[in-house]
Amino acid sequence: MSPADTGEGAGNTAYGKKPFKRSRSHFADRITADGRDGWPVEAGRYRLVVSRACPWASRALVVRRLLGLESALSLGVTDPIQDDRSWRFTLDPGGRDPVLGIRFLHEAYDKRETGYPGGVSVPAIVDVPSGELVTNDFQQITLDLSTEWKDHHRPGAPDLYPEALRDEIDEVAEGVYRDLNNGVYRAGFATGQEEYEKAYGDVFRRLDLLSERLRDQRYLVGDTLTEADIRLFTTLVRFDPVYHGHFKCNRNKLAGDPVLWAYVRDLYQTPGFGDTVDFDHIKRHYYGVHLGINPTGIVPAGPDLSGWHEPHHREQLGGRPFGDGTPPGPVPAAEEIPAAHRA
């Protein structure tokens, strides 16, 4: 996410007169098994840089964990508060990423293209030997982790993008992206009433359609977890803490929809989902950075997060979360979310 392409900027940079429009990823090279773009899959060569606040980066966190790619693709986590110089590695000793040796993510962008005029977004994958950005294509990164990195998946890794279901997954994900993933931003950064009400309507129309779809089936496509569920989860988990109030998507909270509230709790309680969520980072970023919307920078104390662990009873619908595979193992100690930041 960046000031230029997502509204996730510092100060008022995200708040202008034009309708909100998300830019396409500028660096769309792919890391593939055959290395056709010049970036072959190699364990240990690349570093995934994320903000735990960002829903687009959180997709990559969930997929990496479910597939067991922790040892093959290292992880850098930025401070949830970026400044005009981009995402900062202030969470690391000395304020530098311990692998890349940089203080700001823009340094990897500059290595790739000097004077790049666009925003510095996450997720980003960086080539460790050269220090260059490889890709910031958040739509493709997770698909490639599922399909191109198979030789490095853990034993028992689920198939998150099964070939027989790809058309349906893509169709469902496109509607979710257009109306919900991106729709909440269109509502939040709207500069006119009509623009806002159109986005607001799209958000809740899609939520209603999803609620109906999930009423009698546990997952969005098929009877196992897929890429479609991951893309929906990262928006739903932020809905009540952020989008309901901060982005004025306030017809009702997610907790007011029995189907979607049970569905997202089911996912949150599934290894690989909730154990990647940092509610503290999420709230501090949105409320502390979007000063055009929240000029005081005050971060709300709520909502109460205890309900995330209540029984969801979605297992009664059947389904096999990991298909023929198994759940991921424990979170690596260095990547554990602090207890105070979890539900």
Side-chain angles (χ1 to χ4, degrees), residues 52-118:
R52 292 192 185 275
C54 170
W56 321 104
S58 291
R59 296 177 177 184
L61 282 170
V62 173
V63 170
R64 174 178 173 270
R65 173 131 166 73
L66 291 175
L67 299 179
L69 289 169
E70 292 95 337
S71 62
L73 179 64
S74 67
L75 181 67
V77 178
T78 67
D79 192 299
I81 307 296
Q82 80 264 52
D83 62 22
D84 291 334
R85 295 166 295 183
S86 83
W87 296 99
R88 311 174 296 168
F89 292 100
T90 51
L91 302 179
D92 295 304
R96 292 184 181 273
D97 181 273
V99 173
L100 300 173
I102 58 178
R103 296 173 62 85
F104 301 95
L105 182 55
H106 79 74
E107 296 174 58
Y109 277 69
D110 291 343
K111 277 282 189 76
R112 175 68 184 273
E113 183 177 316
T114 303
Y116 163 62

Side-chain angles (χ1 to χ4, degrees), residues 150-222:
K150 282 188 174 182
D151 287 347
H152 301 285
H153 291 182
R154 64 178 175 85
D159 187 352
L160 299 175
Y161 197 48
E163 193 164 357
L165 297 177
R166 288 180 188 178
D167 287 347
E168 187 177 359
I169 291 171
D170 292 346
E171 180 182 5
V172 171
E174 172 56 30
V176 168
Y177 171 79
R178 182 184 62 248
D179 296 336
L180 188 57
N181 298 147
N182 202 43
V184 292
Y185 284 86
R186 288 169 37 230
F189 289 102
T191 56
Q193 190 69 31
E194 184 177 351
E195 176 193 349
Y196 159 71
E197 290 184 6
K198 172 64 167 64
Y200 174 99
D202 289 342
V203 166
F204 285 101
R205 178 178 60 84
R206 183 61 54 180
L207 286 173
D208 289 344
L209 289 171
L210 291 165
S211 182
E212 184 61 31
R213 182 184 184 97
L214 290 164
R215 187 175 306 278
D216 298 314
Q217 63 186 63
R218 190 171 180 185
Y219 303 114
L220 282 172
V221 181

Side-chain angles (χ1 to χ4, degrees), residues 248-281:
K248 306 179 185 70
C249 294
N250 61 354
R251 188 191 75 179
N252 58 270
K253 290 186 175 182
L254 196 67
D257 184 308
V259 174
L260 292 179
W261 180 225
Y263 167 79
V264 75
R265 293 202 320 276
D266 185 5
L267 297 184
Y268 186 85
Q269 295 170 29
T270 299
F273 284 83
D275 52 30
T276 69
V277 175
D278 190 317
F279 284 109
D280 175 77
H281 280 205

